[in-house]
Amino acid sequence: MADTAAPPPAGGSAAAPAQTGAAAQLRSRAYVRLLVLAALIGVPISAAAYFFLQFVGAVQEWLYADLPRAWGFAGPPLWWPVPWLALCGVLVALAVRYLPGAGGHAPIGGIESGQQPTPVDLPGVLLAALATLGLGAVLGPEAPLIALGAGLGVGATRLVRPHAPQQEVAVVAATGSFAAISALLGSPIIGAFLLMEASGLGGATMGLVLLPGLLAAGVGTLLFIGLDSLTGLGPASLALPQLPPFAHPDVAQFGWALVIGVAAALLGTGVRRLALLLKPHIDRNIMLMSPVAGLAVAGLAIAYTATGGALSDVLFSGESSLPALLENSADYTVPGLVLLLACKSLAYGVSLSAFRGGPVFPSMFLGAAGGIALSHLPGLPLVAGVAMGMGAMCVVLLRLPLTSVLLATLLLSSDGLAVMPLVIVAVVVAHVLAAWLAPRPSPEPEDPAAE
């Protein structure tokens, strides 16, 4: 069929009409109202995200620190994770099977920002997330926060404007996700890139969608800071400790970037393949297999703890234990780090297949642990190894290269700019090799009618 699109005007380009339309929308009263709504909803959504994260942290602290002491133990005994992770499997299975929204999207698919959960979906999402994060499964809070922000944004829009067009609802849902996720990651810019890459935004309209989200994220970040001081609960966002100064990369470190990129692609692909292998079996009998998956995660944590490690190194997302890992990196031996990588990777793969949460923080923790282990070898400073490891592992599990570079560099503060060239190389190598190692989709059978 002939192309009926009008040709671009002389001296112009095909993108000119779209750019003109975007500029007109930017000047419209409706868009200004949308920005005001974004700033307003950023406050309650960010507050909800803040208290959700604080509640998760309180549950973890109570179950794995306060309760063992109350029962007369000096610390959690070896068997301690077993009942809690079995309960985790039961609760997640109930949420997935019986509640609206199926507990949120399965984390093996990475970050999904285009979802628009309705308020009725949120109880199931929150139950699955609280069970996963609070009871010890190896997943992070970012995916539930994205769903929480989007669901609250949709609910607020339907409450204020019951007949709002679907496009406006979609923008507000994305805005809610921005507000919920950005303060967790420590920067509205990282949140913007994550959601932009995850949703595939592009073209002249990208700015129209990003501006409300950035505004809500900025308001949300200020609210997080205010709530930290008002409540006395402490920060809920990731903050890495001060690491040794890093001057500039050299040739040997670029060689290490290739090695770390390849190693991350192999390890991350192994985690993903394990999750893909287990997921069909879990889905077929979720009420039985989810608790079994929880017991497997508990067994891996027990195996690591039996050698002198801490339960928190293997359990949970790694968001809270990553700063401690970096701060006490000198206390970890290379064999201990290798065992930690093995147990955490297997627990991560099992959790991806059975539970609900996000893939960001476990991948960052694994990358940092691998970087610390390799930094014992000649030519690789600790900061460079940690940064390249985090970026390379993130890109394999998230498949978002720009976000992975930003996560690994902006969180390192003053060292970030100096180490960024190395991170870029490691991320690119890991991203490309992981694409080659990914399972090939089976070819579709030919349609005889098309002959």
Side-chain angles (χ1 to χ4, degrees):
M1 186 170 62
D3 187 357
T4 58
S13 68
Q19 292 171 352
T20 303
Q25 291 184 55
L26 193 61
R27 294 192 297 267
S28 68
R29 291 183 179 180
Y31 191 72
V32 173
R33 287 197 300 268
L34 183 61
L35 289 176
V36 172
L37 178 61
L40 292 176
I41 69 172
V43 173
I45 290 176
S46 297
Y50 177 86
F51 287 111
F52 171 78
L53 292 172
Q54 292 291 355
F55 183 70
V56 168
V59 171
Q60 293 175 353
E61 181 71 16
W62 181 75
L63 280 181
Y64 284 88
D66 297 341
L67 192 57
R69 285 196 294 267
W71 286 7
F73 298 107
L78 277 179
W79 54 265
W80 191 259
V82 173
W84 304 119
L85 280 157
L87 177 62
C88 171
V90 171
L91 294 177
V92 172
L94 288 172
V96 173
R97 175 64 63 86
Y98 296 110
L99 294 180
H105 86 282
I108 186 60
I111 295 291
E112 291 185 7
S113 67
Q115 55 184 321
Q116 290 183 31
T118 61
V120 75
D121 295 332
L122 292 184
V125 172
L126 289 175
L127 174 60
L130 288 172
T132 295
L133 304 174
L135 299 181
V138 187
L139 289 172
E142 60 280 359
L145 283 180
I146 290 172
L148 175 66
L152 293 177
V154 170
T157 305
R158 294 303 187 195
L159 184 65
V160 176
R161 299 189 61 196
H163 304 294
Q166 182 58 32
Q167 184 178 14
E168 180 177 331
V169 174
V171 171
V172 175
T175 297
S177 295
F178 269 67
I181 193 66
S182 294
L184 168 69
L185 298 176
S187 167
I189 298 299
I190 298 178
F193 269 92
L194 187 152
L195 294 176
M196 180 180 68
E197 281 195 287
S199 62
L201 290 174
T205 60
M206 179 179 68
L208 296 175
V209 179
L210 286 181
L211 275 181
L214 281 172
L215 179 59
V219 172
T221 302
L222 292 175
L223 184 69
F224 262 55
I225 295 171
L227 288 173
D228 288 346
S229 59
L230 285 175
T231 63
L233 295 174
S237 57
L238 179 65
L240 300 184
Q242 189 67 35
L243 296 175
F246 180 82
H248 56 79
D250 56 28
V251 175
Q253 290 161 21
F254 276 103
W256 274 113
L258 301 178
V259 172
I260 290 174
V262 171
L266 295 173
L267 179 59
T269 301
V271 169
R272 182 179 293 280
R273 283 181 176 269
L274 174 62
L276 291 172
L277 177 67
L278 294 177
K279 191 173 187 330
H281 303 286
I282 292 172
D283 289 346
R284 277 197 294 269
N285 194 351
I286 191 169
M287 296 304 301
L288 173 64
M289 296 306 296
S290 289
V292 171
L295 293 175
V297 173
L300 289 163
I302 291 170
Y304 174 73
T305 307
T307 66
L311 278 175
S312 59
D313 283 349
V314 174
L315 299 181
F316 310 117
S317 67
E319 173 196 355
S320 300
S321 50
L322 179 57
L325 173 71
L326 298 177
E327 195 168 0
N328 304 312
S329 59
D331 298 335
Y332 287 83
T333 64
V334 174
L337 288 167
V338 172
L339 180 63
L340 172 58
L341 282 170
C343 293
K344 186 86 170 182
S345 298
L346 292 171
Y348 184 23
V350 173
S351 298
L352 281 172
S353 68
F355 304 121
R356 293 294 187 263
V360 174
F361 291 107
S363 61
M364 290 180 65
F365 187 94
L366 286 173
I372 293 171
L374 291 173
S375 69
H376 287 80
L377 298 174
L380 181 62
L382 174 68
V383 173
V386 166
M388 289 188 286
M390 288 195 301
M393 279 300 297
C394 276
V395 80
V396 177
L397 274 303
L398 269 68
R399 293 169 290 183
L400 305 176
L402 291 177
T403 300
S404 300
V405 171
L406 286 175
L407 275 170
T409 54
L410 293 186
L411 290 175
L412 292 177
S413 303
S414 57
D415 291 331
L417 286 177
V419 81
M420 184 178 285
L422 300 173
V423 175
I424 291 173
V425 173
V427 165
V428 170
V429 171
H431 191 42
V432 174
L433 182 56
W436 278 92
L437 294 174
R440 297 288 189 271
S442 56
E444 297 182 3
E446 295 184 5
D447 185 1
E451 295 279 336

